[in-house]
Amino acid sequence: MAMATAISRLQLLRPPPPPATSAASFLPKYPCPTPLRPNLHHKRFGSSPFIRSGSNQPSEAPRASQSPSIVGDMLDYLNESWTQFHATAEAKRQLLAAGFDLLNESDRWELKPGGRYFFTRNMSSLVAFAVGEKYTAGNGFHVIAAHTDSPCLKLKPKSASTKSGYLMVNVQTYGAGLWHTWFDRDLSVAGRVILKTGDGDFMHKLVKVKRPLLRVPTLAIHLDRSVNSDGFKPNLESHLVPLLAKKLEEASVNLEEKISQPWSSKASHHSVLLQVLSEEIGCCIDEIVGIELNVCDTQPSCLGGVNNEFIFSGRLDNLASSYCALRALIDSCKLTGDLSNEQAIRMVALFDNEEVGSDSVHGAGAPTMFQSMRRIVDCLANKYIGECAFERAIRQSFLVSADMAHGVHPNFSDKHEEHHRPELLKGVVIKHNANQRYATSGVTAFLFKEVADIHNLPIQEFVVRNDMGCGSTIGPILASGVGIRTVDCGIAQLSMHSVREICGKEDIDTAYKHFKAFYQTFSSIDKKLSVDY
């Protein structure tokens, strides 16, 4: 079985041979891509085979030295991470496997130079860090920050409803999604539940139902003849309601009888849905006392394009950035000696709720990252007696705000500013905005580009048109929090905020190399530039 899985994976990752001249040669070699390595819990880091560039790759600056691709591992991460909770849990698993020590924000911390640590908050946000062995009080933090959430549908507190003899699930929209893309998809639910244990305690547990449970059907064109001319404009309250089952009175009655001690919320959700959750978790329905569920697309993340040059997946915004940052931190300090000459602290911060403004206890608007920085400085100060070690550390720190970027759309290229049209497969994109929707400055852009130049990595730049609005990121929020130097960047993608998005396979490895190089070389680069003197 393991050999078959390995062969299947190599077939997916290896580009096909150059096309022949016959018509048959233009048929896709892999018409039905499958997810890579469904069993995540036995993989080893760095086990991905090399990914060789296809003949259609654009000519660019010379690449950094060849290293194993992380694309296969990222596909595993995407397929595991249906929700922000699962993304954080998988990051936690990988950090523990890499030797990082788990901290609790409620406990007293004991840290030391050369140590590697992390903690989670709400199981939807995470901060991980590695302390340089030459760290002294007042030295800076080198941080890459991203977010774990994506636009989706979430179950309402009272989700059970019926329409025309169907069991329906009431949902609310989360973030600015392209909601028309959620119609006619094979959907399911994932998230977390609170269970009551036999001794009266309560337990938090993640759940993911992998088989299709839900669907939002579109209206037949025979009943809406003008849809193609006037556009599809569904009412998000009344039309975007997933169908769960045909109402079966006998089955519903029998299932209700299984609930011996109904709690207030049980009447708020269909019994058949609670039954599915209990079977997935392996508990009784009576043990479920709380749920927080997202609606998720069941189609696996996979490679696509005639040369497998693309990644087709949901939640690329922003799990692609999150994984590249996480993996870069892990790999930049996993070998003996990786931290021996480091004077700074390398950090990853993954936040929830960016898609709705970051104003939550586990979002970037909360002081989570800066509270942890202050605690780290205090823990490592030992007997240091001096002036404002934390404030001096912030002035020596640098933040990379990593969020996906708008690649130029071949059918809507006029939506991009003429001279700033990022392309897929051409490297990380630095985002600029004079009105501070992005936190990039001339200095921070230069420093981040210098990392790329030293390692022969391609770089692109993006500016929105003056006659269009501009989105934002966690960059300005964090930059203004305590005045940390920040650059906003991202991986170019198409179909942003769709249920199914697209990015370039090679860009994942480029971003990983850029982030890893940032951790390994930024200390030496930063010393060469003086601005305030």
Side-chain angles (χ1 to χ4, degrees):
M1 181 64 183
M3 180 62 73
T5 302
I7 292 173
S8 175
R9 179 172 179 176
L10 285 170
Q11 289 175 337
L12 279 173
L13 289 174
R14 184 182 300 117
T21 56
S22 65
S25 67
F26 291 96
L27 294 175
K29 185 175 181 180
Y30 308 109
C32 299
T34 55
L36 302 185
R37 286 204 319 262
N39 186 353
L40 297 176
H41 300 286
H42 300 286
K43 69 174 181 280
R44 301 176 66 88
F45 292 117
S47 60
S48 305
F50 289 92
I51 297 182
R52 300 177 178 85
S53 299
S55 58
N56 67 327
Q57 299 301 316
S59 58
E60 301 170 340
R63 296 285 187 217
S65 58
Q66 183 77 346
S67 60
S69 172
I70 69 163
V71 170
D73 291 333
M74 195 193 78
L75 288 174
D76 289 337
Y77 179 76
L78 290 168
N79 283 319
E80 182 69 16
S81 303
W82 279 19
T83 71
Q84 68 275 36
F85 307 119
H86 290 84
T88 303
E90 177 61 12
K92 173 182 177 181
R93 187 193 69 78
Q94 295 194 18
L95 287 164
L96 289 172
F100 281 66
D101 294 324
L102 176 62
L103 302 172
N104 189 309
E105 288 189 278
S106 301
D107 296 339
R108 181 175 179 271
W109 291 0
E110 294 185 4
L111 312 177
K112 62 182 180 180
R116 298 171 296 167
Y117 311 92
F118 76 100
F119 66 87
T120 65
R121 179 180 288 191
N122 189 52
M123 194 46 72
S124 64
S125 61
L126 176 148
V127 174
F129 57 96
V131 185
E133 293 183 18
K134 292 188 176 180
Y135 172 87
T136 59
N139 288 0
F141 292 80
H142 299 160
V143 190
I144 303 177
H147 63 89
T148 59
D149 62 317
S150 302
C152 66
L153 304 176
K154 290 179 177 286
L155 268 63
K156 290 182 177 179
K158 296 182 178 181
S159 71
S161 67
T162 59
K163 288 184 179 182
S164 302
Y166 292 95
L167 300 184
M168 311 297 288
V169 177
N170 295 323
V171 296
Q172 52 184 329
T173 57
Y174 175 84
L178 290 172
W179 302 120
H180 66 276
T181 66
W182 287 73
F183 283 75
D184 294 334
R185 302 289 303 186
D186 294 344
L187 306 174
S188 191
V189 294
R192 63 177 172 187
V193 298
I194 305 299
L195 301 177
K196 185 175 182 178
T197 63
D199 55 6
D201 290 337
F202 301 98
M203 179 174 60
H204 165 279
K205 194 160 186 177
L206 301 188
V207 62
K208 176 167 58 177
V209 182
K210 295 183 179 181
R211 67 181 179 90
L213 288 180
L214 306 171
R215 196 172 178 93
V216 186
T218 49
L219 184 63
I221 193 170
H222 313 84
L223 305 179
D224 187 10
R225 289 289 186 181
S226 64
V227 65
N228 288 331
S229 57
D230 296 343
F232 182 46
K233 302 174 183 178
N235 181 287
L236 299 184
E237 178 63 25
S238 57
H239 299 154
L240 191 63
V241 184
L243 181 155
L244 174 66
K246 191 72 174 72
K247 186 176 181 182
L248 300 174
E249 296 296 342
E250 278 188 37
S252 298
V253 171
N254 292 337
L255 190 54
E256 291 292 347
E257 291 176 352
K258 295 182 180 181
I259 306 177
S260 58
Q261 297 178 349
W263 49 285
S264 60
S265 293
K266 282 195 169 66
S268 301
H269 305 286
H270 287 301
S271 299
V272 288
L273 177 59
L274 294 175
Q275 177 70 19
V276 170
L277 295 177
S278 68
E279 291 173 355
E280 187 70 28
I281 296 169
C283 69
C284 297
I285 293 180
D286 291 336
E287 296 177 53
I288 301 176
V289 295
I291 65 174
E292 184 175 354
L293 298 177
N294 296 359
V295 175
C296 306
D297 185 26
T298 60
Q299 185 174 357
S301 305
C302 64
L303 298 181
V306 72
N307 290 312
N308 284 325
E309 64 264 52
F310 303 125
I311 293 175
F312 297 161
S313 175
R315 307 175 303 283
L316 288 174
D317 177 20
N318 189 34
L319 292 184
S321 303
S322 296
Y323 185 71
C324 289
L326 176 73
R327 185 62 179 270
L329 176 65
I330 290 173
D331 289 353
S332 72
C333 57
K334 69 178 180 179
L335 300 178
T336 302
D338 280 347
L339 297 171
S340 59
N341 293 315
E342 181 61 80
Q343 299 177 354
I345 295 173
R346 302 172 183 176
M347 177 178 282
V348 160
L350 306 180
F351 297 101
D352 194 3
N353 298 137
E354 189 274 345
E355 298 293 355
V356 292
S358 297
D359 290 332
S360 72
V361 69
H362 27 269
T368 310
M369 188 176 82
F370 300 119
Q371 286 176 346
S372 66
M373 286 178 167
R374 187 179 291 278
R375 292 187 68 175
I376 293 167
V377 171
D378 291 344
C379 284
L380 297 172
N382 293 322
K383 297 181 180 179
Y384 169 81
I385 299 177
E387 182 261 344
C388 299
F390 174 71
E391 286 74 11
R392 291 193 297 109
I394 293 297
R395 295 311 311 140
Q396 297 188 68
S397 298
F398 193 93
L399 170 69
V400 176
S401 169
D403 206 344
M404 301 298 279
H406 296 291
V408 62
H409 195 301
N411 299 329
F412 300 92
S413 58
D414 59 326
K415 295 294 184 180
H416 274 70
E417 198 278 332
E418 181 180 3
H419 303 291
H420 298 84
R421 294 178 172 177
E423 298 181 35
L424 273 61
L425 303 172
K426 289 197 174 181
V428 172
V429 180
I430 296 179
K431 306 176 185 180
H432 302 261
N433 185 263
N435 296 306
Q436 293 300 297
R437 299 295 290 170
Y438 303 130
T440 306
S441 70
V443 170
T444 59
F446 164 77
L447 290 170
F448 195 61
K449 284 190 283 188
E450 190 68 9
V451 174
D453 289 344
I454 291 174
H455 293 269
N456 296 315
L457 295 167
I459 204 77
Q460 305 183 80
E461 295 183 282
F462 172 76
V463 175
V464 74
R465 289 172 56 107
N466 289 327
D467 56 359
M468 294 180 64
C470 182
S472 191
T473 68
I474 60 177
I477 296 172
L478 296 172
S480 61
V482 290
I484 186 172
R485 294 175 297 167
T486 303
V487 64
D488 264 298
C489 72
I491 300 167
Q493 74 164 101
L494 300 175
S495 304
M496 186 178 288
H497 287 195
S498 169
V499 73
R500 198 77 176 165
E501 300 172 322
I502 309 171
C503 75
K505 178 182 72 176
E506 188 175 336
D507 287 333
I508 298 301
D509 285 327
T510 301
Y512 159 71
K513 292 174 184 176
H514 199 148
F515 293 166
K516 185 178 177 182
F518 165 72
Y519 285 130
Q520 293 173 329
T521 61
F522 188 79
S523 291
S524 60
I525 294 172
D526 195 29
K527 291 178 181 178
K528 298 178 181 179
L529 175 65
S530 296
V531 176
D532 299 304
Y533 55 90

